Amino acid sequence: LAADKAHAIKAVAIVHNETSTGVTSRIGEIRRAMDRAGHPALLLVDTISSLGSIDFRHDEWGVDVTVACSQKGLMLPPGLGFNAISQKALEASKTARLPRSYWDWQPMLRDNQAGFFPYTPSTNLLYGLKEALAMLFEEGLDNVFARHARHAEATRRAVQTWGLETVCQHPLEHSNVLTGVMMPAGYNADHLREVILGRYDLSLGTGLGKLKGKAFRIGHLGDFNDLMLAGTLSGVEMGLAFAGVPFTRGGVMAALDCLTGK
Amino acid sequence: LAADKAHAIKAVAIVHNETSTGVTSRIGEIRRAMDRAGHPALLLVDTISSLGSIDFRHDEWGVDVTVACSQKGLMLPPGLGFNAISQKALEASKTARLPRSYWDWQPMLRDNQAGFFPYTPSTNLLYGLKEALAMLFEEGLDNVFARHARHAEATRRAVQTWGLETVCQHPLEHSNVLTGVMMPAGYNADHLREVILGRYDLSLGTGLGKLKGKAFRIGHLGDFNDLMLAGTLSGVEMGLAFAGVPFTRGGVMAALDCLTGK
Amino acid sequence: LAADKAHAIKAVAIVHNETSTGVTSRIGEIRRAMDRAGHPALLLVDTISSLGSIDFRHDEWGVDVTVACSQKGLMLPPGLGFNAISQKALEASKTARLPRSYWDWQPMLRDNQAGFFPYTPSTNLLYGLKEALAMLFEEGLDNVFARHARHAEATRRAVQTWGLETVCQHPLEHSNVLTGVMMPAGYNADHLREVILGRYDLSLGTGLGKLKGKAFRIGHLGDFNDLMLAGTLSGVEMGLAFAGVPFTRGGVMAALDCLTGK
Amino acid sequence: LAADKAHAIKAVAIVHNETSTGVTSRIGEIRRAMDRAGHPALLLVDTISSLGSIDFRHDEWGVDVTVACSQKGLMLPPGLGFNAISQKALEASKTARLPRSYWDWQPMLRDNQAGFFPYTPSTNLLYGLKEALAMLFEEGLDNVFARHARHAEATRRAVQTWGLETVCQHPLEHSNVLTGVMMPAGYNADHLREVILGRYDLSLGTGLGKLKGKAFRIGHLGDFNDLMLAGTLSGVEMGLAFAGVPFTRGGVMAALDCLTGK
């Protein structure tokens, strides 16, 4: 950015929580780096898989556009998308020349003033959203975030005990929403996932892109508690045994120790 | 029975699976003992908590009246009761003088011939029953019974590893539906149950009668799988730690080993 | 009662709303008649099909035992029964010698003090009951009763217009919960019901006992509104035409006029 | 089209069923007119509010792109969109220069070959779709279309009896999905809608654009039967009376006569 004296760069676009790997970006620090560079680029953040699970501060972090959705931390089926938009982004959109139609903010802002949608709204999901928000606020957002952090920590303890590695290597960027796990060389992650789905009715995430077959992902987000995590990790531990993957037993016990504060 | 030369005893009444302790009676052997005594008493069996979870053979075992319900192995809300009745019991009921009204078989048998009920039937539960039976037959009754047996065995391994005792002492009479667990002397089972319910949203059964406060019960029946059992046992193991009950860690790991055939 | 100087009669037992005919008894007047006779008999009232639909006053009318249930005006599946019991009835039950077991009040009263049930309670129906009561109180019981009265009046206008007779003949005893309708001589009510069920997916009540085949019943209770009544009466009016029953068109229009206050 | 010798016109885009007015276009005849003109324009048809309710023939009518959705005749919540695409349209899309991203066919066609979606699919709606299609095929598409036609005809009879006019004036283009109704001059349609919603919990469609306040719309599509139509029309007839709109009583009766074949 510092090198971009002509301000040709219009926006810094970043994913808050990278679903395919289990890496969480430090948005606040990125904002501070942009500020230090004194660059006017907009900050656009994808919070698809973090909102409602990991702390995120649109205003405090000076984010210009936050993109979110219904189907992750908000615990709903897919079907709703949300944008939080700064005044600066709104201004920029007036002169922007990128094509847009359905995603244009103006018809939405205009109709929302009278309580309407410009298109057919997903009414049933709006009722669901009302309830999802009530659940989050009843638990308390700080408690929700702390719960996700505890489950992520316990999961990493299990992975470590099994003698496996997490995809994420940076200690400050482990995701609290999911944990990507590398397979030992020569063992196929999708075969393991198939064994676990067939035996335990437990669906793990596949490795994406260059991690295809080499990693699998354990989700620990949303309407989730300690015993669901224990069940999930038990499924992975038993699946590793059945699939003939070399590993050290005791991951679940390590996770339970972590959850009980040992 | 052999001593009852006058046949004053009219019936042998027995519970197939004793819910309050986790003990399963050997109905077939009881039948054979009755036969050896040559006594004409009716054999009445309560299968409330066994039907659909533990093998039971009304005809083969010569049971005269089997009493069952909707809310255990049939996986429904409470609200339906079932009776299987031998010809001998039906005959006996015609001359019996015990008072009865709602529970009388005759109006039910009469109206059922035309497909009706003598009283307002619980129609919604009948739809549920249809689906529950479809689920049981899709899995296969033998598989259902084997699944319950595996889960009971794994649970006992966990209990043994924790250094606790099961309420049931007879190796041939352990229940496949639930496991009653004795607390160490001086520790209150209901306090443990309260800790586990509060922390893990896991509701264990209380000790009943003289076991009040001295034992708790782990259910492992119905629509239940390996990971639900792992989650359940994890809740007990963590709860024992939080409640300060002396125990040995590793019960969950022992159960997982059992489930994976080690 | 006046003739029963020896007080051999122990109770006056009466149905508040007779479901099989559509007749509502005047409980308050019966109470006053009992009082005038100075007779100590208990007053037992079955409110199975009236509670929550027609005004009923256990205390004000001096009823000793009120019997009610979940599946009519309380808008739930069958499965719950309720008793309201006067001190006098409770006293009487202590010396009564009629056999009872499941229906005995004592175990229920004893366990309820600690918030328990003596038997497996229908927990899901208790949650439903909570919601049903919330619905009734949100609408307001007076409004609920007035709504049932309006629908009953509109239904009778339709029946009158069709040239048919209601089963109930006494103008003070028409039920607000259902209307029994007599078929013209020579036409079978069950055939009409079959036609209407097949064509319109509308299930009418059958005539019971000596009314079998001679009358049908239109229910207008519970979670029910003006348009559901209009749809129901439209089904009957079209069904009468299809079944070839002689009648005069315009019943639905008369009902709509009634509902709009003409 | 005949005048467009240079073929500057790339596509004829048309709505099959116009939701805002209740007018159905004759797609087959439009196709034939295009063929007579010998013009190569693509035929693009919006079947949002017709598919599953009014007969539509993508192949037989030579439609190039059909656009459909989940929330009308397929009886689901909003959230799914469908495209049927001719080979000719697919070819044209390869050289077309209109911007597109989410709506691009290529990623969808590519991933669908392996049974995947390029984006997060609305899995729950796909389960719903499976059931909706089963319902339509169980009834039979011809019966479904005939049912919609009967209900539309009965609705028009009611409107005519009330002395009101339908928005659609062309006898060949009345919609079978909804009927737009003009208010008498000086009476506000949205006031009538408000009265009906408040009194009868019946939500009618508003007039859109230049019909705002001057027309309302009665929907009669999807999972809908004779008695639901009777209830709907009864709500309108009573609402007209309460709102003080001049009209002639008897619309519901005329509709019932129509439904019974008179």
Side-chain angles (χ1 to χ4, degrees), chain A residues 119-191:
Chain A
Y119 314 111
T120 301
S122 191
T123 316
N124 56 330
L125 288 180
L126 292 172
Y127 281 111
L129 179 61
K130 196 173 168 181
E131 184 60 24
L133 294 176
M135 288 168 68
L136 290 172
F137 295 143
E138 187 185 342
E139 184 174 355
L141 281 180
D142 284 349
N143 295 327
V144 170
F145 299 149
R147 169 167 58 80
H148 282 79
R150 281 179 69 241
H151 289 163
E153 173 70 23
T155 301
R156 288 193 296 273
R157 293 265 200 109
V159 172
Q160 196 177 7
T161 304
W162 292 328
L164 302 178
E165 287 198 356
T166 58
V167 175
C168 177
Q169 297 290 338
H170 195 302
L172 294 180
E173 298 190 344
H174 283 301
S175 169
N176 289 340
V177 157
L178 81 150
T179 300
V181 184
M182 298 302 299
M183 291 292 280
Y187 292 89
N188 188 282
D190 289 333
H191 175 247

Side-chain angles (χ1 to χ4, degrees), chain D residues 6-26:
Chain D
H7 297 168
I9 294 170
K10 297 301 178 203
V12 171
I14 192 158
V15 171
H16 186 206
N17 182 71
E18 234 293 313
T19 305
S20 64
T21 52
V23 174
T24 304
S25 295
R26 290 164 280 160

Side-chain angles (χ1 to χ4, degrees), chain C residues 45 53 88 90 92 107 109-110 119 124 137 143 149-151 153-155 165 185 190 195 200-201 213 215 229 233:
Chain C
V45 184
S53 302
K88 185 176 166 191
L90 210 52
L109 289 168
R110 185 193 63 220
Y119 314 111
N124 54 331
F137 295 142
N143 295 327
R150 281 180 69 241
H151 289 163
E153 173 70 23
T155 302
E165 287 198 355
D190 289 333
V195 164
Y200 302 115
D201 203 17
L229 179 65
L233 297 175

Side-chain angles (χ1 to χ4, degrees), chain A residues 121-125, chain D residues 69-72 74-80 124-125 128:
Chain A
S122 191
T123 316
N124 56 330
L125 288 180
Chain D
C69 73
S70 54
Q71 79 264 22
K72 295 281 185 175
L74 295 181
M75 307 174 286
L76 294 164
L80 294 180
N124 55 330
L125 288 181

